[in-house]
Short mmCIF file of all heavy atoms in Angstrom, two decimals:
data_model
loop_
_atom_site.label_atom_id
_atom_site.label_comp_id
_atom_site.label_asym_id
_atom_site.label_seq_id
_atom_site.Cartn_x
_atom_site.Cartn_y
_atom_site.Cartn_z
N LYS M 35 51.47 0.12 82.10
CA LYS M 35 51.36 -1.03 82.99
C LYS M 35 52.38 -2.11 82.69
O LYS M 35 52.70 -2.94 83.56
CB LYS M 35 49.96 -1.63 82.90
CG LYS M 35 48.82 -0.65 83.17
CD LYS M 35 48.80 -0.18 84.61
CE LYS M 35 47.59 0.69 84.89
NZ LYS M 35 47.59 1.22 86.28
N ASN M 36 52.91 -2.13 81.47
CA ASN M 36 53.87 -3.17 81.10
C ASN M 36 55.23 -2.97 81.75
O ASN M 36 56.02 -3.91 81.85
CB ASN M 36 54.06 -3.21 79.58
CG ASN M 36 52.82 -3.68 78.86
OD1 ASN M 36 52.03 -4.44 79.40
ND2 ASN M 36 52.63 -3.21 77.63
N ASP M 37 55.52 -1.75 82.18
CA ASP M 37 56.86 -1.43 82.66
C ASP M 37 57.01 -1.48 84.17
O ASP M 37 58.07 -1.17 84.70
CB ASP M 37 57.29 -0.04 82.17
CG ASP M 37 57.87 -0.08 80.76
OD1 ASP M 37 58.07 -1.19 80.24
OD2 ASP M 37 58.10 0.99 80.18
N TYR M 38 55.97 -1.86 84.88
CA TYR M 38 56.11 -1.95 86.33
C TYR M 38 55.09 -2.92 86.91
O TYR M 38 54.12 -3.31 86.25
CB TYR M 38 55.93 -0.57 86.98
CG TYR M 38 54.52 -0.03 87.00
CD1 TYR M 38 53.71 -0.17 88.14
CD2 TYR M 38 53.97 0.62 85.91
CE1 TYR M 38 52.41 0.33 88.17
CE2 TYR M 38 52.68 1.13 85.93
CZ TYR M 38 51.90 0.98 87.07
OH TYR M 38 50.63 1.46 87.09
N TRP M 39 55.34 -3.33 88.12
CA TRP M 39 54.31 -4.00 88.89
C TRP M 39 54.32 -3.43 90.30
O TRP M 39 55.32 -2.93 90.78
CB TRP M 39 54.46 -5.52 88.88
CG TRP M 39 55.76 -6.11 89.33
CD1 TRP M 39 56.81 -6.48 88.55
CD2 TRP M 39 56.15 -6.42 90.68
NE1 TRP M 39 57.83 -6.99 89.31
CE2 TRP M 39 57.44 -6.96 90.62
CE3 TRP M 39 55.53 -6.28 91.91
CZ2 TRP M 39 58.14 -7.38 91.75
CZ3 TRP M 39 56.22 -6.69 93.05
CH2 TRP M 39 57.50 -7.23 92.96
N GLY M 40 53.14 -3.46 90.92
CA GLY M 40 52.99 -2.81 92.22
C GLY M 40 52.22 -1.52 92.06
O GLY M 40 51.24 -1.44 91.31
N ASP M 41 52.69 -0.48 92.74
CA ASP M 41 51.97 0.79 92.80
C ASP M 41 52.93 1.93 92.46
O ASP M 41 53.80 2.29 93.24
CB ASP M 41 51.41 0.98 94.22
CG ASP M 41 50.36 2.07 94.31
OD1 ASP M 41 50.24 2.85 93.34
OD2 ASP M 41 49.67 2.15 95.33
N TRP M 42 52.75 2.48 91.26
CA TRP M 42 53.59 3.59 90.76
C TRP M 42 52.64 4.68 90.29
O TRP M 42 51.87 4.48 89.35
CB TRP M 42 54.47 3.09 89.62
CG TRP M 42 55.48 4.08 89.11
CD1 TRP M 42 56.03 5.13 89.77
CD2 TRP M 42 56.06 4.08 87.80
NE1 TRP M 42 56.94 5.79 88.97
CE2 TRP M 42 56.97 5.17 87.75
CE3 TRP M 42 55.92 3.28 86.67
CZ2 TRP M 42 57.73 5.46 86.61
CZ3 TRP M 42 56.66 3.57 85.54
CH2 TRP M 42 57.57 4.65 85.52
N THR M 43 52.66 5.82 90.97
CA THR M 43 51.68 6.86 90.70
C THR M 43 52.37 8.21 90.49
O THR M 43 53.54 8.39 90.80
CB THR M 43 50.67 6.99 91.85
OG1 THR M 43 51.36 7.31 93.06
CG2 THR M 43 49.89 5.70 92.03
N SER M 44 51.58 9.17 89.98
CA SER M 44 52.15 10.47 89.64
C SER M 44 51.08 11.55 89.75
O SER M 44 49.88 11.27 89.66
CB SER M 44 52.72 10.43 88.21
OG SER M 44 53.27 11.67 87.85
N ILE M 45 51.55 12.78 89.93
CA ILE M 45 50.68 13.95 89.84
C ILE M 45 51.48 15.08 89.20
O ILE M 45 52.69 15.20 89.46
CB ILE M 45 50.13 14.36 91.23
CG1 ILE M 45 48.98 15.35 91.09
CG2 ILE M 45 51.23 14.89 92.14
CD1 ILE M 45 48.19 15.54 92.38
N SER M 46 50.86 15.85 88.35
CA SER M 46 51.58 16.84 87.54
C SER M 46 51.54 18.24 88.14
O SER M 46 50.50 18.73 88.58
CB SER M 46 51.01 16.89 86.12
OG SER M 46 51.37 15.74 85.40
N LEU M 47 52.71 18.87 88.10
CA LEU M 47 52.83 20.29 88.41
C LEU M 47 52.86 21.12 87.12
O LEU M 47 52.58 22.31 87.13
CB LEU M 47 54.12 20.54 89.21
CG LEU M 47 54.22 19.80 90.54
CD1 LEU M 47 55.62 19.94 91.12
CD2 LEU M 47 53.19 20.30 91.52
N ARG M 48 53.21 20.44 86.04
CA ARG M 48 53.24 21.07 84.71
C ARG M 48 52.95 19.96 83.72
O ARG M 48 53.59 18.90 83.74
CB ARG M 48 54.61 21.70 84.45
CG ARG M 48 54.73 22.53 83.19
CD ARG M 48 56.04 23.31 83.19
NE ARG M 48 56.30 23.96 81.92
CZ ARG M 48 55.77 25.11 81.53
NH1 ARG M 48 54.95 25.75 82.35
NH2 ARG M 48 56.04 25.63 80.36
N SER M 49 51.97 20.17 82.85
CA SER M 49 51.54 19.09 81.95
C SER M 49 51.16 19.65 80.59
O SER M 49 51.09 20.87 80.39
CB SER M 49 50.36 18.33 82.56
OG SER M 49 49.19 19.14 82.56
N GLN M 50 50.86 18.75 79.66
CA GLN M 50 50.50 19.14 78.32
C GLN M 50 49.19 19.93 78.29
O GLN M 50 49.01 20.82 77.46
CB GLN M 50 50.37 17.89 77.44
CG GLN M 50 51.67 17.13 77.26
CD GLN M 50 51.47 15.79 76.57
OE1 GLN M 50 50.36 15.44 76.18
NE2 GLN M 50 52.54 15.03 76.42
N THR M 51 48.28 19.60 79.19
CA THR M 51 46.97 20.24 79.20
C THR M 51 46.78 21.23 80.35
O THR M 51 45.79 21.93 80.40
CB THR M 51 45.86 19.18 79.30
OG1 THR M 51 46.04 18.47 80.54
CG2 THR M 51 45.93 18.21 78.13
N GLY M 52 47.75 21.23 81.29
CA GLY M 52 47.59 22.05 82.48
C GLY M 52 46.76 21.36 83.56
O GLY M 52 46.40 21.98 84.56
N GLU M 53 46.49 20.06 83.37
CA GLU M 53 45.71 19.31 84.35
C GLU M 53 46.63 18.44 85.20
O GLU M 53 47.61 17.88 84.71
CB GLU M 53 44.67 18.44 83.64
CG GLU M 53 43.65 19.26 82.85
CD GLU M 53 42.74 18.39 82.00
OE1 GLU M 53 43.11 17.23 81.77
OE2 GLU M 53 41.68 18.88 81.57
N MET M 54 46.28 18.28 86.47
CA MET M 54 47.11 17.53 87.40
C MET M 54 47.18 16.04 87.07
O MET M 54 48.18 15.38 87.33
CB MET M 54 46.58 17.70 88.83
CG MET M 54 46.83 19.06 89.43
SD MET M 54 46.24 19.16 91.14
CE MET M 54 44.48 19.42 90.88
N ASN M 55 46.09 15.50 86.50
CA ASN M 55 46.05 14.07 86.22
C ASN M 55 46.59 13.71 84.83
O ASN M 55 46.56 12.55 84.44
CB ASN M 55 44.64 13.53 86.39
CG ASN M 55 43.65 14.14 85.40
OD1 ASN M 55 44.00 15.04 84.62
ND2 ASN M 55 42.41 13.67 85.43
N ASN M 56 47.07 14.72 84.09
CA ASN M 56 47.72 14.45 82.81
C ASN M 56 49.21 14.25 83.09
O ASN M 56 49.95 15.21 83.29
CB ASN M 56 47.50 15.60 81.84
CG ASN M 56 48.05 15.31 80.46
OD1 ASN M 56 49.17 14.81 80.32
ND2 ASN M 56 47.29 15.61 79.43
N ILE M 57 49.64 12.99 83.14
CA ILE M 57 51.01 12.68 83.56
C ILE M 57 51.89 12.23 82.40
O ILE M 57 53.00 11.75 82.61
CB ILE M 57 51.01 11.62 84.68
CG1 ILE M 57 50.38 10.30 84.19
CG2 ILE M 57 50.28 12.15 85.91
CD1 ILE M 57 50.55 9.15 85.16
N PHE M 58 51.42 12.40 81.16
CA PHE M 58 52.24 12.06 80.01
C PHE M 58 53.45 12.98 79.94
O PHE M 58 53.35 14.17 80.20
CB PHE M 58 51.45 12.17 78.70
CG PHE M 58 50.33 11.18 78.60
CD1 PHE M 58 49.01 11.61 78.47
CD2 PHE M 58 50.58 9.82 78.63
CE1 PHE M 58 47.97 10.70 78.37
CE2 PHE M 58 49.54 8.90 78.53
CZ PHE M 58 48.25 9.34 78.40
N ALA M 59 54.59 12.40 79.56
CA ALA M 59 55.82 13.19 79.43
C ALA M 59 56.48 12.81 78.12
O ALA M 59 57.23 11.85 78.02
CB ALA M 59 56.75 12.91 80.60
N LEU M 60 56.18 13.59 77.09
CA LEU M 60 56.73 13.35 75.76
C LEU M 60 57.22 14.66 75.16
O LEU M 60 56.65 15.72 75.44
CB LEU M 60 55.65 12.76 74.82
CG LEU M 60 55.16 11.36 75.14
CD1 LEU M 60 53.96 11.04 74.27
CD2 LEU M 60 56.26 10.33 74.91
N PRO M 61 58.27 14.61 74.34
CA PRO M 61 58.72 15.83 73.66
C PRO M 61 57.57 16.44 72.87
O PRO M 61 56.84 15.75 72.17
CB PRO M 61 59.83 15.33 72.73
CG PRO M 61 60.29 14.05 73.34
CD PRO M 61 59.08 13.44 73.96
N GLN M 62 57.43 17.77 72.96
CA GLN M 62 56.26 18.42 72.37
C GLN M 62 56.55 19.23 71.11
O GLN M 62 55.69 19.95 70.63
CB GLN M 62 55.63 19.34 73.42
CG GLN M 62 54.78 18.59 74.43
CD GLN M 62 53.50 18.08 73.82
OE1 GLN M 62 52.57 18.83 73.53
NE2 GLN M 62 53.43 16.79 73.58
N ASN M 63 57.77 19.12 70.58
CA ASN M 63 58.09 19.83 69.34
C ASN M 63 57.74 21.32 69.44
O ASN M 63 57.02 21.88 68.61
CB ASN M 63 57.35 19.21 68.16
CG ASN M 63 57.76 17.77 67.93
OD1 ASN M 63 58.90 17.41 68.18
ND2 ASN M 63 56.83 16.94 67.49
N ASN M 64 58.25 21.94 70.52
CA ASN M 64 58.08 23.38 70.76
C ASN M 64 56.68 23.79 71.19
O ASN M 64 56.40 24.97 71.32
CB ASN M 64 58.50 24.20 69.52
CG ASN M 64 59.98 24.03 69.22
OD1 ASN M 64 60.80 23.98 70.12
ND2 ASN M 64 60.29 23.94 67.94
#
Side-chain angles (χ1 to χ4, degrees):
K35 304 294 185 182
N36 293 331
D37 276 352
Y38 73 97
W39 55 264
D41 195 347
W42 186 25
T43 60
S44 180
I45 194 167
S46 288
L47 300 171
R48 187 169 171 82
S49 70
Q50 296 171 2
T51 61
E53 297 172 342
M54 288 182 280
N55 63 356
N56 185 315
I57 61 171
F58 295 119
L60 292 171
Q62 281 289 287
N63 298 328
N64 296 320

